[in-house]
PDB file of all heavy atoms in Angstrom:
ATOM      1  N   SER H  58      20.043  16.589   3.858  1.00 97.00           N
ATOM      2  CA  SER H  58      20.591  16.395   5.199  1.00 97.00           C
ATOM      3  C   SER H  58      22.105  16.604   5.229  1.00 97.00           C
ATOM      4  O   SER H  58      22.694  16.704   6.312  1.00 97.00           O
ATOM      5  CB  SER H  58      20.264  14.981   5.707  1.00 97.00           C
ATOM      6  OG  SER H  58      18.871  14.810   5.862  1.00 97.00           O
ATOM      7  N   PHE H  59      22.728  16.666   4.063  1.00 98.00           N
ATOM      8  CA  PHE H  59      24.167  16.875   3.985  1.00 98.00           C
ATOM      9  C   PHE H  59      24.473  18.368   3.936  1.00 98.00           C
ATOM     10  O   PHE H  59      23.652  19.165   3.482  1.00 98.00           O
ATOM     11  CB  PHE H  59      24.739  16.183   2.745  1.00 98.00           C
ATOM     12  CG  PHE H  59      24.765  14.688   2.840  1.00 98.00           C
ATOM     13  CD1 PHE H  59      23.672  13.927   2.435  1.00 98.00           C
ATOM     14  CD2 PHE H  59      25.882  14.033   3.344  1.00 98.00           C
ATOM     15  CE1 PHE H  59      23.689  12.548   2.533  1.00 98.00           C
ATOM     16  CE2 PHE H  59      25.913  12.652   3.446  1.00 98.00           C
ATOM     17  CZ  PHE H  59      24.816  11.904   3.047  1.00 98.00           C
ATOM     18  N   PRO H  60      25.662  18.760   4.383  1.00 98.00           N
ATOM     19  CA  PRO H  60      26.022  20.186   4.346  1.00 98.00           C
ATOM     20  C   PRO H  60      26.169  20.701   2.920  1.00 98.00           C
ATOM     21  O   PRO H  60      26.424  19.932   1.985  1.00 98.00           O
ATOM     22  CB  PRO H  60      27.361  20.229   5.094  1.00 98.00           C
ATOM     23  CG  PRO H  60      27.907  18.841   5.023  1.00 98.00           C
ATOM     24  CD  PRO H  60      26.713  17.928   5.004  1.00 98.00           C
ATOM     25  N   LYS H  61      25.963  22.002   2.779  1.00 97.00           N
ATOM     26  CA  LYS H  61      26.154  22.636   1.477  1.00 97.00           C
ATOM     27  C   LYS H  61      27.573  22.357   0.977  1.00 97.00           C
ATOM     28  O   LYS H  61      28.518  22.283   1.757  1.00 97.00           O
ATOM     29  CB  LYS H  61      25.930  24.144   1.578  1.00 97.00           C
ATOM     30  CG  LYS H  61      24.535  24.548   2.014  1.00 97.00           C
ATOM     31  CD  LYS H  61      23.482  24.263   0.960  1.00 97.00           C
ATOM     32  CE  LYS H  61      22.127  24.810   1.366  1.00 97.00           C
ATOM     33  NZ  LYS H  61      21.079  24.557   0.361  1.00 97.00           N
ATOM     34  N   GLY H  62      27.696  22.199  -0.318  1.00 97.00           N
ATOM     35  CA  GLY H  62      28.991  21.904  -0.909  1.00 97.00           C
ATOM     36  C   GLY H  62      29.260  20.425  -1.087  1.00 97.00           C
ATOM     37  O   GLY H  62      30.274  20.041  -1.672  1.00 97.00           O
ATOM     38  N   THR H  63      28.337  19.577  -0.577  1.00 98.00           N
ATOM     39  CA  THR H  63      28.509  18.130  -0.748  1.00 98.00           C
ATOM     40  C   THR H  63      28.424  17.765  -2.228  1.00 98.00           C
ATOM     41  O   THR H  63      27.655  18.344  -2.990  1.00 98.00           O
ATOM     42  CB  THR H  63      27.444  17.368   0.051  1.00 98.00           C
ATOM     43  OG1 THR H  63      27.617  17.639   1.450  1.00 98.00           O
ATOM     44  CG2 THR H  63      27.557  15.863  -0.162  1.00 98.00           C
ATOM     45  N   ILE H  64      29.216  16.779  -2.613  1.00 98.00           N
ATOM     46  CA  ILE H  64      29.286  16.329  -4.011  1.00 98.00           C
ATOM     47  C   ILE H  64      28.644  14.952  -4.092  1.00 98.00           C
ATOM     48  O   ILE H  64      29.033  14.033  -3.373  1.00 98.00           O
ATOM     49  CB  ILE H  64      30.755  16.261  -4.474  1.00 98.00           C
ATOM     50  CG1 ILE H  64      31.420  17.638  -4.318  1.00 98.00           C
ATOM     51  CG2 ILE H  64      30.852  15.768  -5.913  1.00 98.00           C
ATOM     52  CD1 ILE H  64      32.923  17.572  -4.186  1.00 98.00           C
ATOM     53  N   HIS H  65      27.671  14.804  -4.972  1.00 98.00           N
ATOM     54  CA  HIS H  65      26.912  13.561  -5.069  1.00 98.00           C
ATOM     55  C   HIS H  65      27.194  12.870  -6.404  1.00 98.00           C
ATOM     56  O   HIS H  65      26.840  13.385  -7.471  1.00 98.00           O
ATOM     57  CB  HIS H  65      25.415  13.845  -4.940  1.00 98.00           C
ATOM     58  CG  HIS H  65      25.051  14.605  -3.691  1.00 98.00           C
ATOM     59  ND1 HIS H  65      24.879  13.987  -2.474  1.00 98.00           N
ATOM     60  CD2 HIS H  65      24.856  15.935  -3.483  1.00 98.00           C
ATOM     61  CE1 HIS H  65      24.571  14.901  -1.562  1.00 98.00           C
ATOM     62  NE2 HIS H  65      24.554  16.086  -2.159  1.00 98.00           N
ATOM     63  N   ILE H  66      27.823  11.708  -6.341  1.00 98.00           N
ATOM     64  CA  ILE H  66      28.038  10.887  -7.534  1.00 98.00           C
ATOM     65  C   ILE H  66      26.850   9.947  -7.678  1.00 98.00           C
ATOM     66  O   ILE H  66      26.496   9.232  -6.737  1.00 98.00           O
ATOM     67  CB  ILE H  66      29.341  10.070  -7.415  1.00 98.00           C
ATOM     68  CG1 ILE H  66      30.562  10.994  -7.459  1.00 98.00           C
ATOM     69  CG2 ILE H  66      29.429   9.026  -8.532  1.00 98.00           C
ATOM     70  CD1 ILE H  66      31.887  10.265  -7.283  1.00 98.00           C
ATOM     71  N   ILE H  67      26.225   9.955  -8.868  1.00 98.00           N
ATOM     72  CA  ILE H  67      25.063   9.107  -9.131  1.00 98.00           C
ATOM     73  C   ILE H  67      25.416   8.127 -10.247  1.00 98.00           C
ATOM     74  O   ILE H  67      25.522   8.507 -11.417  1.00 98.00           O
ATOM     75  CB  ILE H  67      23.837   9.946  -9.534  1.00 98.00           C
ATOM     76  CG1 ILE H  67      23.571  11.036  -8.488  1.00 98.00           C
ATOM     77  CG2 ILE H  67      22.612   9.049  -9.703  1.00 98.00           C
ATOM     78  CD1 ILE H  67      22.471  12.011  -8.895  1.00 98.00           C
ATOM     79  N   GLY H  68      25.593   6.867  -9.875  1.00 97.00           N
ATOM     80  CA  GLY H  68      25.991   5.859 -10.853  1.00 97.00           C
ATOM     81  C   GLY H  68      24.817   5.013 -11.298  1.00 97.00           C
ATOM     82  O   GLY H  68      24.764   3.818 -11.026  1.00 97.00           O
ATOM     83  N   ILE H  69      23.874   5.634 -11.988  1.00 96.00           N
ATOM     84  CA  ILE H  69      22.689   4.940 -12.505  1.00 96.00           C
ATOM     85  C   ILE H  69      22.615   5.201 -14.005  1.00 96.00           C
ATOM     86  O   ILE H  69      22.547   6.350 -14.428  1.00 96.00           O
ATOM     87  CB  ILE H  69      21.378   5.444 -11.844  1.00 96.00           C
ATOM     88  CG1 ILE H  69      21.505   5.511 -10.325  1.00 96.00           C
ATOM     89  CG2 ILE H  69      20.188   4.585 -12.291  1.00 96.00           C
ATOM     90  CD1 ILE H  69      21.620   4.182  -9.645  1.00 96.00           C
ATOM     91  N   ASP H  70      22.628   4.135 -14.822  1.00 95.00           N
ATOM     92  CA  ASP H  70      22.547   4.292 -16.273  1.00 95.00           C
ATOM     93  C   ASP H  70      23.608   5.286 -16.748  1.00 95.00           C
ATOM     94  O   ASP H  70      23.302   6.249 -17.446  1.00 95.00           O
ATOM     95  CB  ASP H  70      21.143   4.766 -16.666  1.00 95.00           C
ATOM     96  CG  ASP H  70      20.936   4.810 -18.176  1.00 95.00           C
ATOM     97  OD1 ASP H  70      21.570   4.017 -18.893  1.00 95.00           O
ATOM     98  OD2 ASP H  70      20.132   5.657 -18.640  1.00 95.00           O
ATOM     99  N   SER H  71      24.845   5.039 -16.379  1.00 94.00           N
ATOM    100  CA  SER H  71      25.888   6.048 -16.582  1.00 94.00           C
ATOM    101  C   SER H  71      26.819   5.786 -17.765  1.00 94.00           C
ATOM    102  O   SER H  71      27.769   6.538 -17.980  1.00 94.00           O
ATOM    103  CB  SER H  71      26.731   6.164 -15.305  1.00 94.00           C
ATOM    104  OG  SER H  71      27.277   4.908 -14.942  1.00 94.00           O
ATOM    105  N   GLU H  72      26.566   4.733 -18.519  1.00 92.00           N
ATOM    106  CA  GLU H  72      27.441   4.457 -19.663  1.00 92.00           C
ATOM    107  C   GLU H  72      27.329   5.570 -20.699  1.00 92.00           C
ATOM    108  O   GLU H  72      26.231   5.959 -21.099  1.00 92.00           O
ATOM    109  CB  GLU H  72      27.103   3.118 -20.305  1.00 92.00           C
ATOM    110  CG  GLU H  72      28.058   2.742 -21.437  1.00 92.00           C
ATOM    111  CD  GLU H  72      27.787   1.361 -22.010  1.00 92.00           C
ATOM    112  OE1 GLU H  72      26.823   0.704 -21.563  1.00 92.00           O
ATOM    113  OE2 GLU H  72      28.545   0.938 -22.889  1.00 92.00           O
ATOM    114  N   LEU H  73      28.465   6.061 -21.130  1.00 90.00           N
ATOM    115  CA  LEU H  73      28.486   7.167 -22.094  1.00 90.00           C
ATOM    116  C   LEU H  73      28.125   6.684 -23.488  1.00 90.00           C
ATOM    117  O   LEU H  73      28.655   5.690 -23.975  1.00 90.00           O
ATOM    118  CB  LEU H  73      29.891   7.794 -22.113  1.00 90.00           C
ATOM    119  CG  LEU H  73      30.091   8.974 -23.066  1.00 90.00           C
ATOM    120  CD1 LEU H  73      29.330  10.194 -22.573  1.00 90.00           C
ATOM    121  CD2 LEU H  73      31.586   9.292 -23.199  1.00 90.00           C
ATOM    122  N   ASN H  74      27.192   7.384 -24.123  1.00 90.00           N
ATOM    123  CA  ASN H  74      26.881   7.150 -25.532  1.00 90.00           C
ATOM    124  C   ASN H  74      26.322   8.444 -26.097  1.00 90.00           C
ATOM    125  O   ASN H  74      26.095   9.408 -25.348  1.00 90.00           O
ATOM    126  CB  ASN H  74      25.913   5.962 -25.698  1.00 90.00           C
ATOM    127  CG  ASN H  74      24.570   6.186 -25.042  1.00 90.00           C
ATOM    128  OD1 ASN H  74      23.885   7.176 -25.309  1.00 90.00           O
ATOM    129  ND2 ASN H  74      24.169   5.259 -24.153  1.00 90.00           N
ATOM    130  N   PRO H  75      26.079   8.529 -27.399  1.00 89.00           N
ATOM    131  CA  PRO H  75      25.629   9.798 -27.985  1.00 89.00           C
ATOM    132  C   PRO H  75      24.326  10.335 -27.392  1.00 89.00           C
ATOM    133  O   PRO H  75      24.066  11.540 -27.474  1.00 89.00           O
ATOM    134  CB  PRO H  75      25.455   9.448 -29.470  1.00 89.00           C
ATOM    135  CG  PRO H  75      26.412   8.326 -29.698  1.00 89.00           C
ATOM    136  CD  PRO H  75      26.371   7.517 -28.434  1.00 89.00           C
ATOM    137  N   GLU H  76      23.519   9.472 -26.824  1.00 89.00           N
ATOM    138  CA  GLU H  76      22.247   9.913 -26.240  1.00 89.00           C
ATOM    139  C   GLU H  76      22.293   9.985 -24.720  1.00 89.00           C
ATOM    140  O   GLU H  76      21.283  10.258 -24.082  1.00 89.00           O
ATOM    141  CB  GLU H  76      21.122   8.968 -26.683  1.00 89.00           C
ATOM    142  CG  GLU H  76      20.883   8.969 -28.182  1.00 89.00           C
ATOM    143  CD  GLU H  76      19.791   8.014 -28.603  1.00 89.00           C
ATOM    144  OE1 GLU H  76      19.327   7.231 -27.739  1.00 89.00           O
ATOM    145  OE2 GLU H  76      19.399   8.053 -29.782  1.00 89.00           O
ATOM    146  N   ASN H  77      23.440   9.712 -24.138  1.00 93.00           N
ATOM    147  CA  ASN H  77      23.553   9.672 -22.674  1.00 93.00           C
ATOM    148  C   ASN H  77      24.890  10.291 -22.268  1.00 93.00           C
ATOM    149  O   ASN H  77      25.799   9.609 -21.835  1.00 93.00           O
ATOM    150  CB  ASN H  77      23.450   8.224 -22.176  1.00 93.00           C
ATOM    151  CG  ASN H  77      23.031   8.114 -20.734  1.00 93.00           C
ATOM    152  OD1 ASN H  77      22.140   8.829 -20.282  1.00 93.00           O
ATOM    153  ND2 ASN H  77      23.651   7.210 -19.999  1.00 93.00           N
ATOM    154  N   LYS H  78      24.976  11.608 -22.416  1.00 95.00           N
ATOM    155  CA  LYS H  78      26.203  12.319 -22.076  1.00 95.00           C
ATOM    156  C   LYS H  78      26.321  12.449 -20.553  1.00 95.00           C
ATOM    157  O   LYS H  78      25.392  12.166 -19.809  1.00 95.00           O
ATOM    158  CB  LYS H  78      26.190  13.710 -22.722  1.00 95.00           C
ATOM    159  CG  LYS H  78      26.079  13.697 -24.251  1.00 95.00           C
ATOM    160  CD  LYS H  78      27.302  13.076 -24.884  1.00 95.00           C
ATOM    161  CE  LYS H  78      27.234  13.083 -26.411  1.00 95.00           C
ATOM    162  NZ  LYS H  78      27.271  14.436 -26.970  1.00 95.00           N
ATOM    163  N   HIS H  79      27.471  12.892 -20.098  1.00 97.00           N
ATOM    164  CA  HIS H  79      27.721  13.078 -18.672  1.00 97.00           C
ATOM    165  C   HIS H  79      27.630  14.557 -18.314  1.00 97.00           C
ATOM    166  O   HIS H  79      28.093  15.411 -19.085  1.00 97.00           O
ATOM    167  CB  HIS H  79      29.094  12.537 -18.292  1.00 97.00           C
ATOM    168  CG  HIS H  79      29.215  11.063 -18.442  1.00 97.00           C
ATOM    169  ND1 HIS H  79      30.421  10.416 -18.642  1.00 97.00           N
ATOM    170  CD2 HIS H  79      28.262  10.078 -18.434  1.00 97.00           C
ATOM    171  CE1 HIS H  79      30.213   9.104 -18.734  1.00 97.00           C
ATOM    172  NE2 HIS H  79      28.920   8.883 -18.621  1.00 97.00           N
ATOM    173  N   ILE H  80      27.070  14.843 -17.147  1.00 98.00           N
ATOM    174  CA  ILE H  80      26.910  16.233 -16.731  1.00 98.00           C
ATOM    175  C   ILE H  80      27.301  16.398 -15.264  1.00 98.00           C
ATOM    176  O   ILE H  80      27.319  15.444 -14.489  1.00 98.00           O
ATOM    177  CB  ILE H  80      25.456  16.732 -16.922  1.00 98.00           C
ATOM    178  CG1 ILE H  80      24.456  15.832 -16.168  1.00 98.00           C
ATOM    179  CG2 ILE H  80      25.107  16.833 -18.393  1.00 98.00           C
ATOM    180  CD1 ILE H  80      23.019  16.332 -16.211  1.00 98.00           C
ATOM    181  N   ALA H  81      27.624  17.641 -14.914  1.00 98.00           N
ATOM    182  CA  ALA H  81      27.820  18.043 -13.520  1.00 98.00           C
ATOM    183  C   ALA H  81      26.917  19.248 -13.291  1.00 98.00           C
ATOM    184  O   ALA H  81      26.885  20.176 -14.116  1.00 98.00           O
ATOM    185  CB  ALA H  81      29.276  18.381 -13.247  1.00 98.00           C
ATOM    186  N   VAL H  82      26.180  19.220 -12.197  1.00 98.00           N
ATOM    187  CA  VAL H  82      25.169  20.249 -11.942  1.00 98.00           C
ATOM    188  C   VAL H  82      25.381  20.854 -10.560  1.00 98.00           C
ATOM    189  O   VAL H  82      25.498  20.123  -9.569  1.00 98.00           O
ATOM    190  CB  VAL H  82      23.747  19.653 -12.029  1.00 98.00           C
ATOM    191  CG1 VAL H  82      22.691  20.738 -11.814  1.00 98.00           C
ATOM    192  CG2 VAL H  82      23.533  18.957 -13.366  1.00 98.00           C
ATOM    193  N   ALA H  83      25.436  22.185 -10.499  1.00 97.00           N
ATOM    194  CA  ALA H  83      25.436  22.900  -9.225  1.00 97.00           C
ATOM    195  C   ALA H  83      23.991  23.268  -8.936  1.00 97.00           C
ATOM    196  O   ALA H  83      23.370  24.037  -9.673  1.00 97.00           O
ATOM    197  CB  ALA H  83      26.306  24.148  -9.314  1.00 97.00           C
ATOM    198  N   LEU H  84      23.442  22.704  -7.865  1.00 96.00           N
ATOM    199  CA  LEU H  84      22.019  22.846  -7.585  1.00 96.00           C
ATOM    200  C   LEU H  84      21.786  22.887  -6.078  1.00 96.00           C
ATOM    201  O   LEU H  84      22.249  22.003  -5.348  1.00 96.00           O
ATOM    202  CB  LEU H  84      21.254  21.660  -8.202  1.00 96.00           C
ATOM    203  CG  LEU H  84      19.772  21.521  -7.894  1.00 96.00           C
ATOM    204  CD1 LEU H  84      18.988  22.661  -8.554  1.00 96.00           C
ATOM    205  CD2 LEU H  84      19.248  20.169  -8.397  1.00 96.00           C
ATOM    206  N   ASP H  85      21.085  23.898  -5.615  1.00 95.00           N
ATOM    207  CA  ASP H  85      20.684  23.994  -4.208  1.00 95.00           C
ATOM    208  C   ASP H  85      21.888  23.897  -3.264  1.00 95.00           C
ATOM    209  O   ASP H  85      21.805  23.305  -2.190  1.00 95.00           O
ATOM    210  CB  ASP H  85      19.671  22.889  -3.895  1.00 95.00           C
ATOM    211  CG  ASP H  85      18.939  23.123  -2.574  1.00 95.00           C
ATOM    212  OD1 ASP H  85      18.902  24.280  -2.125  1.00 95.00           O
ATOM    213  OD2 ASP H  85      18.418  22.145  -1.995  1.00 95.00           O
ATOM    214  N   GLY H  86      23.012  24.438  -3.691  1.00 96.00           N
ATOM    215  CA  GLY H  86      24.200  24.433  -2.853  1.00 96.00           C
ATOM    216  C   GLY H  86      24.971  23.125  -2.862  1.00 96.00           C
ATOM    217  O   GLY H  86      25.947  22.960  -2.116  1.00 96.00           O
ATOM    218  N   HIS H  87      24.553  22.178  -3.697  1.00 97.00           N
ATOM    219  CA  HIS H  87      25.199  20.877  -3.815  1.00 97.00           C
ATOM    220  C   HIS H  87      25.681  20.678  -5.254  1.00 97.00           C
ATOM    221  O   HIS H  87      25.293  21.414  -6.168  1.00 97.00           O
ATOM    222  CB  HIS H  87      24.220  19.752  -3.447  1.00 97.00           C
ATOM    223  CG  HIS H  87      23.780  19.776  -2.024  1.00 97.00           C
ATOM    224  ND1 HIS H  87      24.127  18.816  -1.111  1.00 97.00           N
ATOM    225  CD2 HIS H  87      23.009  20.669  -1.335  1.00 97.00           C
ATOM    226  CE1 HIS H  87      23.593  19.090   0.063  1.00 97.00           C
ATOM    227  NE2 HIS H  87      22.909  20.214  -0.044  1.00 97.00           N
ATOM    228  N   TYR H  88      26.494  19.642  -5.447  1.00 98.00           N
ATOM    229  CA  TYR H  88      26.947  19.265  -6.788  1.00 98.00           C
ATOM    230  C   TYR H  88      26.485  17.837  -7.081  1.00 98.00           C
ATOM    231  O   TYR H  88      26.588  16.950  -6.233  1.00 98.00           O
ATOM    232  CB  TYR H  88      28.471  19.327  -6.888  1.00 98.00           C
ATOM    233  CG  TYR H  88      29.039  20.714  -6.739  1.00 98.00           C
ATOM    234  CD1 TYR H  88      29.462  21.179  -5.494  1.00 98.00           C
ATOM    235  CD2 TYR H  88      29.157  21.572  -7.835  1.00 98.00           C
ATOM    236  CE1 TYR H  88      29.983  22.456  -5.342  1.00 98.00           C
ATOM    237  CE2 TYR H  88      29.675  22.854  -7.692  1.00 98.00           C
ATOM    238  CZ  TYR H  88      30.086  23.288  -6.442  1.00 98.00           C
ATOM    239  OH  TYR H  88      30.594  24.557  -6.298  1.00 98.00           O
ATOM    240  N   PHE H  89      25.988  17.630  -8.296  1.00 98.00           N
ATOM    241  CA  PHE H  89      25.534  16.309  -8.718  1.00 98.00           C
ATOM    242  C   PHE H  89      26.276  15.932  -9.998  1.00 98.00           C
ATOM    243  O   PHE H  89      26.293  16.700 -10.962  1.00 98.00           O
ATOM    244  CB  PHE H  89      24.030  16.315  -8.957  1.00 98.00           C
ATOM    245  CG  PHE H  89      23.222  16.644  -7.732  1.00 98.00           C
ATOM    246  CD1 PHE H  89      22.914  17.964  -7.416  1.00 98.00           C
ATOM    247  CD2 PHE H  89      22.780  15.645  -6.875  1.00 98.00           C
ATOM    248  CE1 PHE H  89      22.191  18.278  -6.276  1.00 98.00           C
ATOM    249  CE2 PHE H  89      22.054  15.945  -5.735  1.00 98.00           C
ATOM    250  CZ  PHE H  89      21.759  17.270  -5.433  1.00 98.00           C
ATOM    251  N   ILE H  90      26.871  14.752  -9.984  1.00 98.00           N
ATOM    252  CA  ILE H  90      27.614  14.245 -11.147  1.00 98.00           C
ATOM    253  C   ILE H  90      26.907  12.979 -11.604  1.00 98.00           C
ATOM    254  O   ILE H  90      26.774  12.011 -10.844  1.00 98.00           O
ATOM    255  CB  ILE H  90      29.070  13.937 -10.766  1.00 98.00           C
ATOM    256  CG1 ILE H  90      29.742  15.175 -10.170  1.00 98.00           C
ATOM    257  CG2 ILE H  90      29.845  13.432 -11.981  1.00 98.00           C
ATOM    258  CD1 ILE H  90      31.040  14.865  -9.449  1.00 98.00           C
TER     259      ILE H  90
END
Side-chain angles (χ1 to χ4, degrees):
S58 295
F59 288 89
K61 299 290 186 180
T63 297
I64 302 156
H65 305 278
I66 292 177
I67 307 173
I69 312 292
D70 186 29
S71 56
E72 184 176 3
L73 180 70
N74 62 55
E76 297 179 352
N77 202 42
K78 301 295 182 66
H79 294 155
I80 56 175
V82 182
L84 173 68
D85 195 22
H87 295 248
Y88 295 94
F89 298 89
I90 304 165

